[in-house]
Amino acid sequence: MVSFKARRREPELVSPARPTPRETKLLSDIDDQHALRYYETVIGFFRRCGGENDGPDDPAEVVRAALAEALVYYYPVAGRLREEAEGKLVVECTAEGVAFVVADADVRLEDFGEPLLPPYPCVEELLCDAGDTRTVIGRPLLLMQLTRLKCGGFVAGFHMCHSIADGFGIIQLMITIAELACGAEAPSILPVWKREILSTTHSKNPITHPNPSYEPLLNSLDYASESDDVMMSTPLDEMVVSYFVFGPREMKTLESYVRGYLARPATSFELLTAVMWRCRTIALGYKPSQPVRLKITMNARGRWNRHTLIPLGYYGNAHFSPIAELTVDELCRQPLVDTVEVVRRTKLSVTKECMESMVDTIASLRQRPCADPARTYEVSDTKWIAAGNGLQLGWAEFVGGGIPVAGDLTSKLGSDHMRCKNQDGEDSTVVSMLLPRPAMERFKKEMAVWLNKRDDKNIVIQSSL
């Protein structure tokens, strides 16, 4: 893989292009989780298109100006977080600005690989130094680096405080910057704050009847019985990240195990999640009688959610994470079609009652430190991040990107489904996985069996931490 060093200019603060309201804004109870007090990362690769005279001479100047204009609409992002009584966070809309770094790298877009797939080489050179990414109070809420490449293309790397926005919110802001960089007078989707829709006036009394989807989360808070998980006890430097690519041929093979047994076909997310949960559980060597959990982080926006309508333009955290629980023996001995049904039922459990229960549960636990629940596989469908919808600049084409690291900065459990092209140029899914090194070898062997592969070389791209 290519190796390079980016030449960075000094960071600058970019403030809103025009005066904005000076006020204090409340976060939702979903935003105000201690687990979200960190900076999440998104990266996008852009290829210059058109003739030599098409587009600006310096994309950084255009993007900087568009960022300042975008902050007029997203003015809370230009503020700072403050901690109030009982540790609750609020946003002071001070217009102090966000951090912006211009950098240059002596590489071309094609040097990152064709097709463009994670792990991206020298990804740390494409992101500005965010310092302690778990410290969010009193700091810029967005840190952006634009790295210009030798071919005229560029890479946009974002660190954004997760307390302010989720991945969908970051993409919405990126789309706004792209639109304004192309000369739009205003965003096509205006941002909406309305954090009260995911807040509750809650008592300090414990929840006695949680929604069934959240009982495993509350049960996992009994830390004394949860200390035997190798995922929790293995140091990060003894773990490895791998990315598994599933193209049409691999999906057809997996579909053959469930074809004719389901009332409606399994989605790629349902099928891959079912298979990978089983393979991961076997690879980690849990005991047959131990409970294992599947936690699905779901975006509550969209037509599927008829229960709590998230308004168009809402950029706060709007994700819900129902949890399924089985014993190792139940999971690994049942037919694959039954595991797919578990995944599907877990997704469908996110009803209005479930969402209200989650808000209540999170609000009641805000003062209680929550560790990762043991023996849990947490998975997110983030294929929309790399879809590039709305990210076309006219003079620059979005060609790939997404979440550049496996899991997030506060958890070892996260696994993301992202869209990509495989070696044959076919639409495919790439799934990240973080495991202890010995478990990763067992995991790859299990996956190769399901895919009828003699080895794992055609499905895995490995990246040592």
Side-chain angles (χ1 to χ4, degrees), residues 216-396:
L217 172 63
L218 298 181
N219 294 341
S220 73
L221 299 181
D222 179 11
Y223 302 130
S225 65
E226 301 288 339
S227 59
D228 56 351
D229 186 355
V230 66
M231 282 294 294
M232 303 293 105
S233 60
T234 303
L236 196 58
D237 60 3
E238 296 177 17
M239 303 182 84
V240 63
V241 178
S242 291
Y243 296 85
F244 294 82
V245 180
F246 300 91
R249 286 182 296 280
E250 288 79 18
M251 293 308 303
K252 186 176 180 180
T253 299
L254 296 179
E255 287 163 3
S256 69
Y257 295 105
V258 300
R259 191 176 297 117
Y261 294 100
L262 294 167
R264 56 186 176 85
T267 66
S268 63
F269 176 80
E270 292 167 348
L271 188 53
L272 290 175
T273 297
V275 172
M276 298 189 85
W277 184 22
R278 290 169 65 122
C279 292
R280 181 182 184 273
T281 299
I282 293 170
L284 288 168
Y286 298 135
K287 297 175 183 176
S289 62
Q290 287 182 311
V292 287
R293 300 164 182 123
L294 172 69
K295 182 178 181 181
I296 302 177
T297 300
M298 299 178 61
N299 175 17
R301 302 168 180 85
R303 288 176 294 178
W304 73 269
N305 180 7
R306 302 178 181 89
H307 315 291
T308 300
L309 296 180
I310 308 297
L312 181 67
Y314 187 85
Y315 63 99
N317 289 281
H319 50 78
F320 293 82
S321 302
I323 301 173
E325 184 175 275
L326 298 171
T327 67
V328 173
D329 200 49
E330 289 170 334
L331 173 63
C332 297
R333 288 186 179 274
Q334 68 183 5
L336 180 62
V337 65
D338 291 344
T339 310
V340 171
E341 290 284 15
V342 170
V343 175
R344 183 172 290 174
R345 284 198 304 271
T346 305
K347 289 168 55 183
L348 294 176
S349 72
V350 183
T351 62
K352 180 179 180 181
E353 178 192 18
C354 177
M355 293 168 73
E356 290 174 347
S357 178
M358 179 184 177
V359 174
D360 287 341
T361 302
I362 288 174
S364 71
L365 295 174
R366 199 174 60 79
Q367 295 295 327
R368 183 175 178 180
C370 296
D372 284 329
R375 297 182 297 280
T376 299
Y377 178 39
E378 182 177 351
V379 61
S380 302
D381 189 354
T382 61
K383 290 192 290 292
W384 45 268
I385 286 182
N389 295 333
L391 282 175
Q392 309 310 322
L393 289 166
W395 43 271

Side-chain angles (χ1 to χ4, degrees), residues 61 67 89 101 121 134 242 263 329 370 431:
E61 292 295 329
L67 174 60
L89 293 181
V101 175
R134 294 178 179 86
S242 291
D329 200 49
C370 296
V431 184

Side-chain angles (χ1 to χ4, degrees), residues 150-161:
K150 283 201 307 184
C151 58
F154 59 92
V155 185
F158 293 80
H159 290 297
M160 191 159 184
C161 177

Side-chain angles (χ1 to χ4, degrees), residues 423-441:
Q423 294 290 342
D424 298 322
E426 299 167 318
D427 289 333
S428 305
T429 299
V430 58
V431 184
S432 61
M433 183 65 68
L434 172 67
L435 289 172
R437 291 180 186 275
M440 183 61 78
E441 294 306 311

